[in-house]
Amino acid sequence: MYSRIAGTGSYLPAKVLTNADLEKMVDTTDEWIRSRTGIERRHVAAPEETTSTLSTEAARHAMQMAGVGPADIDFIAVGTTTPDYVFPNVATLVQHNLGIHDTPAFSIETACSGFVYALSIADKFVRLGESKCALVIGAECLTRVVDWNDRATCVLFGDGAGAVILEPATEPGIVTTLLSADGQYRDLLFYPYGVSCGWDKLRAGAPAFITMKGNEVFKVAVNTLSKLVDQTLIKGGVGKADIDWLVPHQANLRIIKAAARKLDMPMERVVVTVQDQGNTSAASIPLALDTAVRDGRIKRGQLLLLETFGGGFTWGSALVRF
Ligand SMILES: CC(C)(COP(=O)(O)OP(=O)(O)OC[C@H]1O[C@@H](n2cnc3c(N)ncnc32)[C@H](O)[C@@H]1OP(=O)(O)O)[C@@H](O)C(=O)NCCC(=O)NCCS
């Protein structure tokens, strides 16, 4: 028994913040942002939108494509690092929004790797026969946790959600997944306060924003993704030339290009959405996947390599026969 992606969906908030808008907010230029990151614009959630509302919209679109209803869903996992609340978790909020009852529903906090981690877990549930219709989401409201006075980070991030439906299949589907992490890099990319750590500073009104040593993150990301690509091809028993599409985490165009070079892949076979969405963390891969499925680039039967890297550090990949 294997799992396969039966449908994809995504949702982006209506408000778009361009590099020109950011030029008016911090000491930056469109040229700097585009040349260093590839980003041209990003979406920003409206005040009433939350990670669970973005997730719910993305889920609806994926369910529609898969031709399934609320009664069919028997498993919900959401990768996110910007949950609505500490608890209840985002997946339970989505479950309630969609009118689904009595299913497992949980969130995974592995930053940008959240969707791939969730996909890997859902794949196991489907393969073991414990789920017949799994909803897997990656969603973020990162603009809520960036410092709009810090030009080094506020230009990078955006909001959005993407989702897939996994169903049982006799052929793979999800060929293989690979997950990993290394906590020694915690100080390079983090959010300073949570619940059991820094709560006293938060209560005293200390500011809490994404904090990053960008150029050091960059180096570890490129090296780690390079190894990850090799490991995934070996684990999946395929060669570079077998991959039809690279669907990478959309953090930075230069990191994406490095991964493509490692695979000897022309950029025409890489799905790139970072210019329009910025870094949407756990949402970026399912958003990119849905974009390329809906515009007809990704076709049934093609082999996709999904790869991601994020805070923790955490990283992961999935080899997917779409
Ligand atoms: C963040 C990132 C784009 C910065 O690019 P960089 O080439 O490494 O730039 P640096 O951080 O070395 O900064 C270079 C200079 O640009 C300046 N700078 C930073 N942000 C700027 C901005 N928005 N506009 C203009 N100048 C900026 C810095 O202050 C620095 O100036 P200085 O040399 O006078 O001190 C890049 O490091 C990156 O993408 N890192 C990975 C981030 C990432 O992927 N994070 C998420 C992982 S999932």
Side-chain angles (χ1 to χ4, degrees):
M1 177 98 84
Y2 297 97
S3 77
R4 68 181 275 273
I5 295 177
T8 65
S10 60
Y11 177 80
L12 288 163
K15 183 178 171 188
V16 173
L17 189 72
T18 64
N19 291 352
D21 296 327
L22 281 163
E23 283 179 349
K24 295 180 199 125
M25 296 162 64
V26 287
D27 180 16
T28 191
T29 61
D30 172 54
E31 201 284 325
W32 191 96
I33 303 171
R34 270 191 294 114
S35 62
R36 301 284 177 128
T37 71
I39 300 167
E40 296 169 24
R41 59 191 71 79
R42 68 288 292 145
H43 292 253
V44 177
E48 67 279 10
E49 289 183 312
T50 65
T51 298
S52 72
T53 68
L54 308 188
S55 298
T56 303
E57 291 309 311
R60 285 202 175 104
H61 294 139
M63 289 163 67
Q64 204 171 26
M65 187 189 286
V68 301
D72 299 308
I73 306 287
D74 58 12
F75 174 101
I76 308 172
V78 180
T80 185
T81 199
T82 48
D84 296 37
Y85 309 107
V86 172
F87 64 88
N89 77 69
V90 173
T92 61
L93 303 175
V94 173
Q95 182 196 41
H96 180 67
N97 290 346
L98 293 170
I100 299 168
H101 302 277
D102 199 14
T103 69
F106 59 96
S107 304
I108 294 165
E109 45 155 348
T110 52
C112 302
S113 307
F115 174 77
V116 172
Y117 266 68
L119 185 74
S120 179
I121 295 165
D123 172 53
K124 271 77 178 174
F125 270 74
V126 174
R127 281 183 187 223
L128 290 169
E130 299 243 337
S131 167
K132 294 202 160 28
C133 188
L135 171 59
V136 185
I137 299 169
E140 303 283 7
C141 280
L142 286 166
T143 63
R144 302 268 162 82
V145 289
V146 296
D147 179 355
W148 290 105
N149 295 311
D150 175 15
R151 66 178 183 174
T153 51
C154 76
V155 302
L156 302 175
F157 299 101
D159 302 333
V164 302
I165 299 290
L166 284 191
E167 286 182 347
T170 48
E171 305 273 314
I174 309 294
V175 179
T176 191
T177 60
L178 208 156
L179 305 179
S180 194
D182 192 336
Q184 70 170 304
Y185 297 108
R186 54 184 277 179
D187 294 336
L188 297 188
L189 177 56
F190 61 97
Y191 185 75
Y193 309 125
V195 179
S196 58
C197 175
W199 58 273
D200 47 342
K201 296 192 185 76
L202 266 187
R203 281 191 192 180
F209 303 118
I210 292 179
T211 308
M212 180 172 70
K213 291 185 181 137
N215 44 16
E216 293 181 49
V217 174
F218 189 94
K219 284 179 218 148
V220 185
V222 169
N223 287 336
T224 305
L225 289 170
S226 167
K227 283 186 211 134
L228 177 66
V229 163
D230 282 340
Q231 289 165 341
T232 311
L233 295 180
I234 292 167
K235 193 171 177 212
V238 300
K240 292 177 185 179
D242 297 320
I243 308 292
D244 293 299
W245 290 100
L246 176 63
V247 188
H249 171 47
Q250 312 280 324
N252 181 312
L253 187 57
R254 290 186 291 149
I255 298 178
I256 294 172
K257 282 185 173 168
R261 270 197 302 277
K262 177 77 190 173
L263 279 165
D264 300 328
M265 262 187 134
M267 286 306 287
E268 297 75 54
R269 283 164 58 203
V270 182
V271 181
V272 182
T273 53
V274 73
Q275 71 283 0
D276 296 325
Q277 297 166 10
N279 181 349
T280 58
S281 184
S284 89
I285 288 181
L287 270 164
L289 178 64
D290 186 52
T291 301
V293 166
R294 285 181 192 262
D295 70 21
R297 275 179 288 169
I298 293 179
K299 297 187 173 48
R300 284 286 172 203
Q302 289 187 323
L303 191 62
L304 322 179
L305 176 57
L306 284 43
E307 46 90 343
T308 187
F309 178 88
F313 290 139
T314 61
W315 58 93
S317 62
L319 203 54
V320 177
R321 179 74 64 189
F322 184 68

